[in-house]
Amino acid sequence: MTRRSDTQPLGLATLCLLLTGALGCDPAIDDPLVEATPDPSGVIEGTVLYTGPRPFCTYEDGAPVDVRGRVVLLLFRSDDPPPPAGGASSAENLLLIDGDDLFSLSDCLPAEPTAEDLRQPVTRSTAFSWPDIALGAPGTDGVAYQIRGFLDRDADFNPFFSVRRLATKGDVAGGAFVNAAASPPIFERIELGSIDEQQDGQVVQGVAVTLGAIVNTELPASRVAGETRGLSAEGTLPATSDPLMREEQLWNQARMTLRLIDPRRPTWNATLLAAGMTIDPHPSGYGWFVLPVDADRDGAQDPHRTLGSAGIQWEHPVVILRRARNPIELAAGIPDAVIVATIRPSQTATKSTFDPDIDVAVPPIAAVDLNPDDDRCTVPYLAPGNLAESYERIPVDCQELPTGNYDVNVLSGVAGGTPLDFRALVAEDMPELPERVLDAVVRQRTDNDWVIEGGQFSSQAWSIPNELGCPDPYRPNAVDDEGTPITLSQIDPDPFARCGDDPAICDDSATPMQCSQGPAGRFSVVDPDPSTIPDASDPSDGHGVEACQTAIRGATMMPDAVTYMPVPEVCCGPVSHLCGLPLCPVRDTAVRPGEDGARGTREILELGTDYRVGEEGEVEPLCTPFLPPASCCR
């Protein structure tokens, strides 16, 4: 008997779930028929074509009785795919197809497969019908989607755990492509009309999903090393044109290091098993494998998102730091703030595999998303003291970086590549090399003897905090970014008690959860000098700060007046209510201190001091953790 699971939608009303039980978030419905009359929706129909290893199966009495694993299809908006191409943190929709629908029991790998069995591929296909796809909003030209997916061969996918929602080593990845044979393949735009155009719904047929790229790597399960320090909100970009000196100055601002976890350690092994997951530590697929970023899939490496103008190319692992907003800040309309870090370019001049550490430079540029509905509204915030040209190329706001504790998101992994034992290859080509020289040659290229040649980004990721760590005070009701309940009891039946009275305090000896994966594992941006603040009531360029209005011009190395481009008006509406509010007080809440020990951050925290709650449960901010752009408040 074959089975097909129901479509499982993601991207729920996160804010309402976060505030449930705290402020209340019941939608007001004037017409009782509104709730009973759903909007028309779309259906995508097509075929999944699979070419790859034979499936794993469950055996009873020496005979296969069930195919393990299933196909996971993820739907994203074409104009907002997941990073690095876009900023989507979750899929718009999800479809699961049982392995029994794709394979027959005759396809099963033996219970004890030989090397020949593992090499033998199969090609199979199955039809799918994907209902409940959201059409475009009324009055629009419709909406375009793209499909990404993978065969979860080892059956460890769990949509309720962020650390188990992605492909792992041995899974087979792919998507709906314009031409699956192209390199790199381009995702097909699947277009649906708007609700008012398609009042009876819409069916899109003939979509072909191809799965054929074997995932070579495990998830980049990692932590921020303890020697990392918080970034100063007053930090500036290096003014030197020397690339090595510039890199060294960037690196020294936070000295961030990512360190792979060791799943062989008993404490980590216990945590992973409690979460229902495993990580194979074999170096052929567990390490930092460097890969060029080609977000637009034009076959050429992309410049770094924020440092490209300085000649820095973008490479995996991609590290994105996102300021954590508590439920009060979300309700108060505090905008999102992101810092796009970079692995140190000098590391990758010859080396392509790092294990267990890789160094990350954190540039002092925060991208603040003033209006998520308009892609023109991501505005860089740069602290006073930068070169004049830094403020003038695009709309920029001159003020200290948004302080706070930042989630750490790491994107890494390779699919469709070829793992190679580099030490064995060099030894075979040059058998006369002494062991000492051989070791030096190998270490120039790889830390763990292995490299992966070819392939493309496998869309694997690791985020901190996650469910393997202590509960997160920013998400007090234990829901993830999509509003999905987190089953913390799978890790620890009483995690709040066992992590201490303060959820930010974690003791590995008291709980099987890992401190480095909880709120204590975040990165921090700190204010080392709370006295240097702009006048929130001053709407002039740079909020009246002299170092913003006059700066050293790199072309002449002389002081000069700075000319700012105003932020587009469409971006200002969502943050206009913050104009004129003072900055929130600095509190020692950073989980990672700065170089001088400073732990000061600004957040909306205290009722009556930082915010008040109206009769209808609405949150009114009395201060703001960072100011809106000056041009939005004129």
Side-chain angles (χ1 to χ4, degrees):
M1 177 181 178
T2 59
R3 302 179 304 278
R4 188 184 307 279
S5 64
D6 293 333
T7 301
Q8 301 186 25
L10 298 178
L12 305 178
T14 307
L15 178 58
C16 289
L17 286 170
L18 284 169
L19 299 180
T20 298
L23 302 178
C25 197
D26 296 325
I29 299 177
D30 297 324
D31 186 348
L33 292 178
V34 170
E35 191 172 20
T37 308
D39 289 329
S41 62
V43 177
I44 298 176
E45 295 181 346
T47 302
V48 173
L49 175 64
Y50 170 88
T51 300
R54 295 162 63 187
F56 297 116
C57 294
T58 302
Y59 278 76
E60 293 181 4
D61 299 325
V65 296
D66 187 47
V67 175
R68 293 183 60 196
R70 52 192 172 179
V71 173
V72 179
L73 299 184
L74 302 165
L75 190 73
F76 294 93
R77 290 180 180 265
S78 283
D79 59 358
D80 189 25
S89 60
S90 65
E92 297 286 328
N93 214 315
L94 167 74
L95 183 72
L96 303 177
I97 302 173
D98 281 355
D100 289 325
D101 286 353
L102 186 61
F103 303 103
S104 68
L105 294 181
S106 63
D107 296 324
C108 292
L109 277 169
E112 297 182 4
T114 65
E116 180 61 28
D117 292 327
L118 294 172
R119 284 193 296 266
Q120 185 180 23
V122 295
T123 298
R124 298 290 182 266
S125 65
T126 186
F128 70 89
S129 180
W130 195 340
D132 302 325
I133 308 296
L135 299 176
T140 67
D141 294 330
V143 61
Y145 293 105
Q146 63 176 233
I147 295 176
R148 305 184 181 206
F150 60 94
L151 173 67
D152 175 33
R153 291 184 71 219
D154 49 6
D156 60 354
F157 175 82
N158 185 333
F160 298 105
F161 270 62
S162 66
V163 292
R164 291 180 56 187
R165 283 203 292 256
L166 299 168
T168 54
K169 184 179 178 181
D171 292 344
V172 182
F177 302 117
V178 175
N179 179 2
S183 181
I186 306 298
F187 288 102
E188 179 184 358
R189 284 176 58 89
I190 303 168
E191 298 185 352
L192 283 80
S194 64
I195 290 175
D196 43 7
E197 291 175 341
Q198 303 288 342
Q199 296 184 12
D200 295 326
Q202 183 180 359
V203 178
V204 176
Q205 297 177 315
V207 175
V209 175
T210 304
L211 305 179
I214 299 174
V215 177
N216 304 111
T217 53
E218 290 287 0
L219 294 173
S222 53
R223 61 187 178 91
V224 179
E227 53 266 33
T228 303
R229 58 184 181 232
L231 177 70
S232 169
E234 299 176 355
T236 57
L237 291 166
T240 177
S241 59
D242 181 275
L244 291 178
M245 186 178 296
R246 180 178 60 233
E247 177 188 326
E248 187 68 17
Q249 291 176 8
L250 279 174
W251 154 248
N252 279 320
Q253 297 206 33
R255 303 188 70 83
M256 184 178 189
T257 298
L258 288 177
R259 183 164 297 155
L260 292 169
I261 68 170
D262 187 350
R264 296 164 295 191
R265 292 183 59 186
T267 54
W268 261 109
N269 186 50
T271 299
L272 294 172
L273 290 176
M277 62 185 297
T278 58
I279 292 176
D280 180 1
H282 194 277
S284 63
Y286 191 49
W288 299 112
F289 297 95
V290 176
L291 190 73
V293 172
D294 181 14
D296 55 9
R297 291 182 169 247
D298 64 353
Q301 184 175 5
D302 297 342
H304 186 269
R305 185 65 58 85
T306 56
L307 298 173
S309 60
I312 294 178
Q313 296 295 95
W314 208 2
E315 295 176 301
H316 291 284
V318 169
V319 182
I320 299 175
L321 309 172
R322 185 179 185 185
R323 185 179 178 276
R325 294 173 291 173
N326 62 48
I328 301 303
E329 289 190 346
L330 285 168
I334 302 302
D336 204 5
V338 168
I339 297 174
V340 182
T342 179
I343 58 174
R344 296 186 67 181
S346 63
Q347 295 175 111
T348 62
T350 60
K351 189 179 293 186
S352 61
T353 306
F354 298 80
D355 184 14
D357 291 352
I358 193 165
D359 292 340
V360 179
V362 184
I365 306 173
V368 178
D369 190 359
L370 304 175
N371 184 351
D373 295 327
D374 196 305
D375 57 10
R376 296 172 295 173
C377 297
T378 299
V379 175
Y381 278 36
L382 296 173
N386 282 284
L387 293 177
E389 290 92 339
S390 302
Y391 304 113
E392 295 179 334
R393 285 191 291 266
I394 58 174
V396 165
D397 197 66
C398 181
Q399 64 171 291
E400 293 182 10
L401 307 186
T403 62
N405 294 309
Y406 283 64
D407 295 345
V408 181
N409 304 282
V410 183
L411 289 77
S412 183
V414 184
T418 303
L420 299 173
D421 185 339
F422 186 67
R423 177 179 291 274
L425 291 174
V426 174
E428 182 180 353
D429 288 344
M430 294 182 285
E432 73 284 356
L433 280 183
E435 188 66 28
R436 175 176 55 83
V437 178
L438 173 63
D439 189 67
V441 170
V442 171
R443 289 294 170 260
Q444 283 290 313
R445 178 79 184 276
T446 169
D447 282 343
N448 64 11
D449 295 354
W450 286 81
V451 297
I452 297 179
E453 288 194 349
Q456 55 191 315
F457 175 47
S458 57
S459 296
Q460 292 173 291
W462 191 264
S463 297
I464 303 170
N466 58 57
E467 302 85 1
L468 304 184
C470 287
D472 184 4
Y474 290 89
R475 300 176 179 90
N477 292 323
V479 295
D480 66 13
D481 287 339
E482 288 75 43
T484 306
I486 297 171
T487 315
L488 290 165
S489 60
Q490 287 187 233
I491 305 296
D492 190 324
D494 192 9
F496 286 92
R498 293 165 65 88
C499 281
D501 295 333
D502 181 352
I505 299 174
C506 179
D507 181 359
D508 279 337
S509 65
T511 173
M513 307 182 87
Q514 297 289 322
C515 297
S516 67
Q517 304 303 301
R522 284 188 169 101
F523 180 80
S524 299
V525 177
V526 301
D527 187 345
D529 184 2
S531 66
T532 57
I533 60 172
D535 182 356
S537 63
D538 189 336
S540 62
D541 289 335
H543 308 276
V545 175
E546 183 177 353
C548 291
Q549 297 173 337
T550 301
I552 298 295
R553 190 165 295 280
T556 62
M557 297 308 295
M558 297 291 292
D560 193 9
V562 178
T563 302
Y564 288 88
M565 296 175 61
V567 172
E569 289 186 16
V570 68
C571 305
C572 296
V575 295
S576 60
H577 65 292
L578 304 175
C579 291
L581 291 180
L583 287 169
C584 295
V586 170
R587 302 181 177 95
D588 289 335
T589 54
V591 297
R592 205 170 295 276
E595 181 178 10
D596 57 1
R599 305 184 73 99
T601 65
R602 301 179 191 273
E603 298 176 85
I604 299 180
L605 291 175
E606 295 186 6
L607 180 64
T609 300
D610 301 344
Y611 71 99
R612 56 175 167 246
V613 180
E615 295 182 358
E616 301 297 325
E618 70 278 8
V619 172
E620 180 187 352
L622 303 176
C623 65
T624 179
F626 51 93
L627 302 178
S631 64
C632 283
C633 298
R634 286 201 267 273

